Amino acid sequence: MKKRLYSLFMCMSFFIFTPVYAVPVKTVVIRVVGTNSSWGQEAMPGWVRASPIKSTRGYSVYDLEIARTDASSPGLWQPPTYAALYKFPDWSDANPFMSNDEALHYKTSSTLKKITFKQYTGSSADYYRSSTAVSAALKALVNQVLIREKGLTRLVLFYSGHGSPHVFFEGVISNPDSEDFVKTLRKKLGKKTFILDFSTNCDVGFFDFAVRYYRFADYLIASDKPVGGYSPNVTNGEGYFTMDHDGNLAEFWKNTHNLEQAFDVIMATRKNRWDAVSDSLRDSANPQSLSVYKLAEFETLLTTLKANGLNPAVDLPTASNDLATYAYASGNADLIAAMNKFRIRYASDRNYVTWSDDSQGFSVDNITSLESYLNQ
């Protein structure tokens, strides 16, 4: 009897005292940048070292360049000439200057794959031909990352460039191709966390953008305002440089941060940067915002908006054309809860700037598009 009790005690002790180890977190960031012959294609371009820490425990960043020609006139489409994937070594400011030959070796030796495109013109037909080719290339380059990083648990697709509610990667691929591109990544990732980081781009935190990708990505980090346009405070502007988003990717996504912690650090870093440029923000009346959206809650939010009787054409113009503004002003507890579950983080620079509107982080540009979604 004593022997049986002893055996039972030892068995229970194993289950009680054996430590439970967390599943290792490994975040891979694909940092996409658009270049042209006037910016980003010089011998030692700045974007290469903008995110200086390329690899650390549980974290790895790949740089993906979409290279374009200069358009003949400002604002015209710039046909891509090539797309290339790089795995650069960590950047050290101890050797900030390189000769042209050294810079070329640094870049070429770090190139994992380069895909060159035929020279398209600026015609409408060629735009879609180019879009198809570039989309296929992007899938191939991202697949190279996924082959190399089989143990990843989170993929962050980060775009360092200009933004709009209606384009993806500055329109270098069409909206149907961009949706297919994101859908393809979702299929390859399975249930692994997939984050779209468009947080340094202007005007992406919109219904118009989220509606195209909410079925495929898990989270979107974006602003519904123009981003940037400020300068460091005269007396204390160090944060302008130390709180740069690109430069802190390794800090955001280090392996000790779960998702909630990563989002908190991202928001805190952006608010600290606003603090470091508060004089400029105040003087230029420059509204800034940042949100994190949980895209799995998108459909529930839109269903709840419809149930609350939202009439976009009538209601949104009095709510700063913003669904969050409308939701919080509605007084409807279900709608407010749905918005909070969707827009899980929000910050603005209202501490420094008097805004001309009351937008709250989820704007609408094309009201007709929203009406079509609600009535489908």
Side-chain angles (χ1 to χ4, degrees):
M1 181 67 179
K2 288 183 179 179
K3 193 171 184 180
R4 288 181 182 176
L5 288 174
Y6 176 77
S7 299
L8 179 61
F9 173 77
M10 291 302 294
C11 183
M12 291 179 64
S13 297
F14 174 81
F15 289 106
I16 294 172
F17 298 113
T18 300
V20 177
Y21 296 102
V23 176
V25 173
K26 182 177 183 181
T27 303
V28 173
V29 176
I30 301 177
R31 181 177 176 271
V32 183
V33 60
T35 67
N36 57 46
S37 55
S38 298
W39 182 89
Q41 293 175 20
E42 56 269 39
M44 191 63 243
W47 61 266
V48 170
R49 58 184 183 272
S51 180
I53 300 175
K54 305 298 186 181
S55 296
T56 188
R57 185 176 181 182
Y59 167 83
S60 187
V61 63
Y62 291 78
D63 288 272
L64 196 163
E65 178 190 11
I66 303 173
R68 296 168 291 188
T69 60
D70 279 330
S72 56
S73 301
L76 294 182
W77 173 60
Q78 298 172 317
T81 57
Y82 67 85
L85 179 70
Y86 307 92
K87 184 55 179 170
F88 293 110
D90 287 355
W91 180 264
S92 173
D93 285 334
N95 183 24
F97 302 107
M98 293 183 180
S99 68
N100 285 352
D101 288 344
E102 288 173 329
L104 180 62
H105 175 74
Y106 177 78
K107 194 172 181 181
T108 56
S109 64
S110 302
T111 304
L112 298 180
K113 189 176 181 65
K114 182 177 181 179
I115 301 173
T116 303
F117 308 117
K118 65 171 285 185
Q119 291 303 292
Y120 293 96
T121 68
S123 71
S124 176
D126 255 9
Y127 170 76
Y128 289 101
R129 294 188 189 102
S130 172
S131 174
T132 300
V134 176
S135 178
L138 294 178
K139 291 176 185 177
L141 295 178
V142 171
N143 195 52
Q144 290 289 308
V145 175
L146 300 182
I147 290 172
R148 290 169 59 96
E149 302 286 355
K150 293 187 181 298
L152 71 88
T153 56
R154 303 187 293 217
L155 180 71
V156 180
L157 185 67
F158 169 51
Y159 186 58
S160 183
H162 297 291
S164 159
H166 302 291
V167 299
F168 191 95
F169 294 169
E170 298 180 42
V172 74
I173 55 177
S174 69
N175 286 335
D177 281 337
S178 70
E179 290 178 41
D180 182 63
F181 171 61
V182 176
K183 181 180 179 180
T184 299
L185 266 62
R186 172 80 281 164
K187 287 181 178 179
K188 289 183 176 294
L189 288 169
K191 295 183 179 181
K192 295 170 183 175
T193 303
F194 182 18
I195 300 161
L196 299 176
D197 184 351
F198 284 71
S199 63
T200 63
N201 316 141
C202 301
D203 302 320
V204 175
F206 278 68
F207 161 84
D208 313 70
F209 189 91
V211 71
R212 294 197 294 270
Y213 310 109
Y214 75 90
R215 293 167 294 167
F216 314 123
D218 296 303
Y219 297 91
L220 168 66
I221 313 172
S223 172
D224 65 324
K225 294 293 181 185
V227 177
Y230 42 66
S231 56
N233 291 347
V234 174
T235 55
N236 181 22
E238 291 87 354
Y240 178 80
F241 303 102
T242 61
M243 298 299 170
D244 175 66
H245 188 86
D246 295 61
N248 282 283
L249 291 173
E251 174 64 22
F252 300 153
W253 300 111
K254 64 185 182 182
N255 67 339
T256 56
H257 284 165
N258 60 32
L259 276 177
E260 297 296 315
Q261 291 168 321
F263 293 147
D264 285 343
V265 175
I266 288 171
M267 301 302 287
T269 301
R270 189 62 59 91
K271 287 189 284 187
N272 287 339
R273 192 167 216 220
W274 293 336
D275 185 61
V277 298
S278 56
D279 294 344
S280 178
L281 293 173
R282 188 180 297 109
D283 292 344
S284 58
N286 182 350
Q288 300 287 300
S289 73
L290 187 63
S291 298
V292 179
Y293 310 95
K294 186 175 182 179
L295 296 177
E297 299 293 337
F298 178 89
E299 284 188 306
T300 299
L301 171 63
L302 272 293
T303 300
T304 310
L305 283 162
K306 184 176 181 178
N308 193 59
L310 171 67
N311 182 336
V314 174
D315 297 328
L316 287 184
T318 61
S320 301
N321 285 327
D322 189 284
L323 292 173
T325 304
Y326 169 82
Y328 293 125
S330 70
N332 183 309
D334 290 339
L335 179 53
I336 293 171
M339 179 57 71
N340 287 337
K341 289 180 180 179
F342 170 70
R343 196 212 63 179
I344 59 174
R345 299 286 190 286
Y346 177 73
S348 78
D349 67 351
R350 285 181 170 89
N351 286 348
Y352 317 110
V353 177
T354 301
W355 285 25
S356 60
D357 65 20
D358 188 35
S359 59
Q360 296 287 327
F362 194 46
S363 297
V364 179
D365 186 60
N366 189 329
I367 288 178
T368 302
S369 176
L370 173 61
E371 289 173 333
S372 297
Y373 180 92
L374 293 174
N375 294 326
Q376 65 184 356

